[in-house]
Amino acid sequence: SGRLGRSDVAVNYFKQAIDAAEAGRLALTPQRLFETRREVADRTRSWGATLSLGYRGVSPGGQLAGAPATIGDSLQAGMEVYWRPAGYRDGSYVELYGGGFQTPWAKGGAPSGGQTAQGMLGARVKPFRSTNLVLAVERRVKIGSLSSNDWLLRAGYSYTHGTDLRIDTDSWFTTQVYAEAGRFLRAHRGYATFEADVGRSIRLKDIDARLVLFPHLVLALDHDSKLASGQRTASGAGVGLAARYWFNENRHQAPRSYVDVSLQYRARLGGGTRGKGVFLRITFNY
């Protein structure tokens, strides 16, 4: 039923399985029961919100993608709210979204504060159920004096393995890869970002069963066609440590929200100097 787009029928089936397992009428391992609750959580989600704060680095695929690349140290903050008008549709869904971002602080007198506030409204589609390809059309709305009105076309692709919480083991292999390219129509500016994190997730069950530590290796690259020659592309590689706390669950639904803090140090591989140094990201995903 789920593959036909009838997620409501599939959700009822999954809920019945959860009830039967808790009553002892159906044999499900704890991990399989958790995965069934994850199906319910994913299929019933019709909206969500994300808040993020990044020091010298923004979250791949987040609402700050496409913000001007900064050569010096800066802090960027953003928020986004999205709605799925037709629901989950077995993973091939449409989302309408809006939000904004700005640079609260920048080193050396670089632009910051309210003058950098930028609004956005957009629509995106995930056309394939089993492929994490997302296409978006976004309208950037001028708020601060240094922001702009423009149209942005975005395409993003991600691959993840082991990024969800597990309860059948205390540690597991995890990898997440994200690539995005975008084009601003009015500014005639193109950008691209890439980040790959590979490591091992460790569930800190002695502290809290929903707290996961993720030591990892990172490879990152970004390109901005509007920067000066020699600065347009920057790449770096290094090590990172992230901590994620999952919450917002009930009997039928696995945790739907998390707070994630990621700290990385990257050495410069090539291009601009912004590819090296300390990178800190804090993400609240509800």
Side-chain angles (χ1 to χ4, degrees):
S1 297
R3 294 190 178 183
L4 296 175
R6 299 178 59 193
S7 284
D8 54 340
V9 177
V11 165
N12 288 333
Y13 171 80
F14 289 131
K15 287 183 175 180
Q16 290 173 15
I18 293 168
D19 293 340
E22 291 186 347
R25 300 191 306 271
L26 179 65
L28 289 180
T29 65
Q31 179 62 25
R32 182 54 186 152
L33 178 60
F34 180 87
E35 292 168 357
T36 305
R37 293 172 61 227
R38 171 61 65 207
E39 287 283 350
V40 175
D42 287 346
R43 291 177 180 276
T44 56
R45 178 179 287 278
S46 60
W47 72 278
T50 303
L51 301 175
S52 63
L53 189 66
Y55 173 71
R56 301 190 70 249
V58 299
S59 179
Q63 69 274 10
L64 301 181
T70 53
I71 297 176
D73 294 354
S74 68
L75 189 67
Q76 290 184 307
M79 66 162 293
E80 177 195 292
V81 177
Y82 68 85
W83 173 52
R84 296 174 180 169
Y88 183 71
R89 297 188 68 251
D90 198 39
S92 59
Y93 47 77
V94 174
E95 292 179 344
L96 305 179
Y97 64 93
F101 56 88
Q102 74 170 58
T103 302
W105 173 85
K107 185 178 180 180
S112 63
Q115 61 183 342
T116 66
Q118 176 74 66
M120 61 182 185
L121 295 169
R124 57 186 170 230
V125 58
K126 182 176 177 290
F128 308 113
R129 178 180 61 84
S130 57
T131 302
N132 290 325
L133 173 69
V134 177
L135 306 174
V137 177
E138 183 173 303
R139 177 62 177 175
R140 290 290 168 94
V141 181
K142 182 181 179 69
I143 299 177
S145 60
L146 296 181
S147 63
S148 63
N149 293 312
D150 208 340
W151 287 99
L152 170 62
L153 304 180
R154 303 168 66 173
Y157 173 80
S158 64
Y159 168 79
T160 61
H161 175 81
T163 55
D164 196 6
L165 180 67
R166 288 179 57 176
I167 59 174
D168 61 334
T169 182
D170 293 336
S171 68
W172 59 93
F173 176 74
T174 300
T175 181
Q176 50 189 15
V177 179
Y178 187 83
E180 178 176 319
R183 179 74 178 178
F184 289 90
L185 302 185
R186 181 181 176 187
H188 303 290
R189 170 179 161 245
Y191 73 89
T193 61
F194 172 87
E195 181 173 327
D197 302 330
V198 180
R200 195 157 188 87
S201 291
I202 303 168
R203 187 163 59 101
L204 303 180
K205 65 178 183 178
D206 291 339
I207 300 175
D208 193 301
R210 298 296 185 257
L211 180 61
V212 178
L213 204 63
F214 177 46
H216 58 274
L217 302 176
V218 56
L219 173 65
L221 179 146
D222 73 82
H223 173 82
D224 190 328
S225 67
K226 280 295 185 179
L227 294 180
S229 178
Q231 296 287 346
R232 291 173 186 164
T233 299
S235 58
V239 296
L241 182 65
R244 177 173 294 188
Y245 180 72
W246 293 89
F247 66 99
N248 188 23
E249 64 181 314
N250 58 39
R251 187 166 64 88
H252 286 128
Q253 297 177 345
R256 305 175 65 159
S257 307
Y258 61 79
V259 176
D260 189 280
V261 179
S262 173
L263 180 65
Q264 298 176 342
Y265 180 81
R266 305 175 191 169
R268 177 171 172 257
L269 294 180
T273 57
R274 67 183 181 279
K276 69 176 183 179
V278 174
F279 296 78
L280 173 66
R281 291 195 296 255
I282 302 174
T283 304
F284 173 77
N285 192 310
Y286 185 80

